[in-house]
């Protein structure tokens, strides 16, 4: 049976040519197609054997993010990242790098008109300089290792603001190291008054060692008794009479030591004609000037807290225990 099927297939692929069987033309085309297919298959197999195996690809488990979602994710990450802080430049300690800027006239809250001053007042720029001043003032006022002046000398012809005439009175000062004496004031009940400290103005002195003087208002509302402290003890108590005001004001003067880069206490020099109104009575303490002058002041208790100082004056004194000294009269 198989022999008969093969016979029929053979006769289908060939034809009789004068007694000989020859392949039909279709047979040649079929053989050519088979040869091409075999060649391509062999080449593909050879290339596959020589190429490195492909890395396995992960199967996606979620829908790929859209372009909008990708941009939103990047923006969120950028916004949440903390900005790199820019370090502030150090505050200049060289007074040649400071500017003394005039405080312009301000408006009278009652009339709304500019307040005319007889003498211009100034503040220091940059304002960071005042941080160093308060540091040194704390050591000076609380007698705790106050800065020592590097040069012992008189500083001549410093403008004094409190003479009644419109011009400047020029007065000498000398930097000192006061480590044993202090004066403060108490009210009528014998309670310590929290001194109000106000930076009023700064002036140029023209002296290369102490080129800048700062005037500090030291105010005591309702002062009734003055108390002197020396070498750890109260040495004197005097009653105070304020005439023309309810606040006792002391004008403190502090020089900048250009060599030591510190503020040092300055004292007056007696016998040269006086320093008018170096202590006087006024209607209000200097806290109302803090915003106007552009420099915030402090109370003595705040200064102690900021710099960790200890108050050596007692909170209260028993006035009956003291023999009071001569009355201290303070005019306007």
């Amino acid at each position: 049976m198989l022999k008969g099927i093969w016979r029929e297939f053979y006769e289908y692929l060939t034809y009789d040519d004068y007694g000989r069987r020859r392949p039909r033309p279709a047979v040649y085309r079929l053989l050519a197609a088979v040869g091409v297919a075999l060649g391509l298959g062999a080449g593909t197999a050879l290339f596959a054997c020589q190429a490195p195996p492909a890395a396995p690809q992960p199967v996606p488990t979620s829908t790929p993010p859209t372009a909008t979602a990708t941009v939103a994710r990047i923006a969120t990450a950028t916004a949440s990242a903390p900005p790199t802080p820019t370090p502030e430049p150090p505050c200049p300690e060289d007074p040649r790098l400071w500017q003394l800027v005039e405080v312009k006239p301000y408006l009278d809250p009652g009339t709304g008109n500019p307040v005319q001053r007889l003498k211009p007042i100034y503040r220091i720029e940059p304002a960071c300089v005042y941080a160093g001043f308060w540091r040194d003032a704390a050591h000076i006022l609380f007698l705790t290792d106050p800065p020592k002046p590097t040069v012992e000398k008189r500083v001549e012809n410093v403008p004094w603001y409190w003479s009644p005439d419109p011009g400047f009175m020029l007065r000498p000062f000398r930097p000192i190291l006061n480590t044993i004496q202090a004066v403060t004031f108490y009210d009528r009940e014998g309670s310590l008054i929290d001194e109000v400290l106000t930076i009023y103005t700064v002036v140029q002195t023209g002296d290369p060692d102490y080129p800048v003087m700062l005037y500090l208002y030291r105010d005591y509302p309702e002062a009734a008794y003055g108390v002197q402290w020396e070498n750890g003890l109260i040495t004197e108590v005097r009653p105070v009479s304020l005439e023309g005001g309810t606040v006792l004001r002391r004008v403190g003067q502090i020089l900048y030591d250009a060599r030591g880069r510190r503020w040092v206490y300055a004292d007056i020099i007696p016998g040269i004609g006086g320093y008018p109104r170096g202590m006087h009575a006024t209607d209000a303490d200097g806290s109302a000037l803090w915003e106007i002058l552009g420099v915030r002041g402090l109370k003595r208790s705040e200064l102690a807290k900021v710099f960790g100082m200890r108050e050596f004056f007692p909170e209260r004194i028993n006035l009956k225990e003291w023999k009071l000294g001569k009355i201290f009269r303070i005019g306007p």
Side-chain angles (χ1 to χ4, degrees):
M1 180 177 178
L2 292 174
K3 186 176 180 180
I5 294 174
W6 171 251
R7 180 72 181 178
E8 291 179 4
F9 183 70
Y10 174 74
E11 289 180 354
Y12 174 77
L13 296 176
T14 60
Y15 68 94
D16 182 67
D17 183 21
Y18 300 103
R20 298 181 62 183
R21 303 297 297 181
R22 295 183 180 277
R24 297 179 185 274
V27 173
Y28 293 106
R29 291 194 296 270
L30 178 61
L31 293 175
V34 171
V36 171
L38 293 174
L40 290 176
T44 302
L46 180 62
F47 179 78
C49 292
Q50 295 179 349
Q57 297 297 317
V59 178
T61 58
S62 61
T63 305
T66 63
T68 303
T70 301
V71 172
R73 178 175 56 81
I74 295 174
T76 303
T78 303
S80 61
T84 303
T86 302
E88 295 184 2
C91 193
E93 294 183 328
D94 188 342
R96 292 174 296 184
L97 301 178
W98 302 351
Q99 287 185 310
L100 270 56
V101 180
E102 183 178 354
V103 178
K104 297 300 182 181
Y106 54 91
L107 300 181
D108 187 315
T111 64
N113 297 323
V115 175
Q116 300 298 323
R117 291 187 300 267
L118 294 177
K119 304 175 180 69
I121 57 178
Y122 300 89
R123 66 172 182 265
I124 299 174
E125 293 289 349
C128 60
V129 171
Y130 289 112
F133 166 76
W134 286 121
R135 173 203 63 209
D136 296 340
H139 287 276
I140 292 170
L141 297 183
F142 290 96
L143 307 183
T144 305
D145 191 24
K148 299 177 177 61
T150 57
V151 181
E152 295 184 8
K153 64 185 298 187
R154 282 171 51 135
V155 181
E156 304 285 352
N157 300 323
V158 181
W160 179 256
Y161 270 68
W162 292 271
S163 56
D165 57 89
F168 283 110
M169 178 182 288
L170 302 180
R171 286 291 179 266
F173 294 88
R174 60 188 178 94
I176 65 169
L177 179 61
N178 186 351
T179 60
I180 61 172
Q181 293 182 345
V183 174
T184 195
F185 295 87
Y186 286 73
D187 65 17
R188 295 187 181 278
E189 304 300 323
S191 296
L192 178 65
I193 297 173
D194 199 1
E195 181 180 6
V196 181
L197 305 169
T198 302
I199 297 172
Y200 180 65
T201 189
V202 288
V203 296
Q204 292 180 329
T205 67
D207 188 282
D209 298 311
Y210 301 98
V212 177
M213 169 84 88
L214 184 148
Y215 287 113
L216 182 71
Y217 280 168
R218 307 180 61 182
D219 294 336
Y220 307 86
E222 306 296 339
Y225 296 93
V227 173
Q228 177 151 338
W229 185 95
E230 186 172 351
N231 287 326
L233 298 172
I234 293 177
T235 58
E236 186 179 19
V237 178
R238 295 176 60 180
V240 171
S241 175
L242 296 179
E243 301 173 359
T246 59
V247 177
L248 187 150
R249 171 168 293 166
R250 299 165 66 189
V251 180
Q253 50 278 336
I254 303 179
L255 288 164
Y256 188 74
D257 188 334
R259 297 188 185 185
R261 303 293 170 90
R262 301 292 293 270
W263 296 88
V264 297
Y265 184 74
D267 200 5
I268 63 175
I269 298 176
I272 47 86
Y275 298 72
R277 302 181 72 230
M279 185 179 296
H280 59 273
T282 185
D283 292 330
D285 64 58
S287 60
L289 298 174
W290 295 353
E291 183 175 354
I292 293 169
L293 301 179
V295 183
R296 189 187 185 282
L298 291 170
K299 289 187 175 182
R300 182 180 174 98
S301 60
E302 294 174 329
L303 187 66
K305 184 177 180 180
V306 169
F307 293 97
M309 298 294 173
R310 184 183 64 84
E311 179 58 77
F312 51 85
F313 282 107
E315 287 294 321
R316 293 184 64 87
I317 58 173
N318 188 348
L319 298 171
K320 295 180 180 180
E321 295 179 353
W322 291 92
K323 181 181 179 180
L324 302 181
K326 185 178 180 181
I327 190 169
F328 194 21
R329 300 187 183 276
I330 307 295

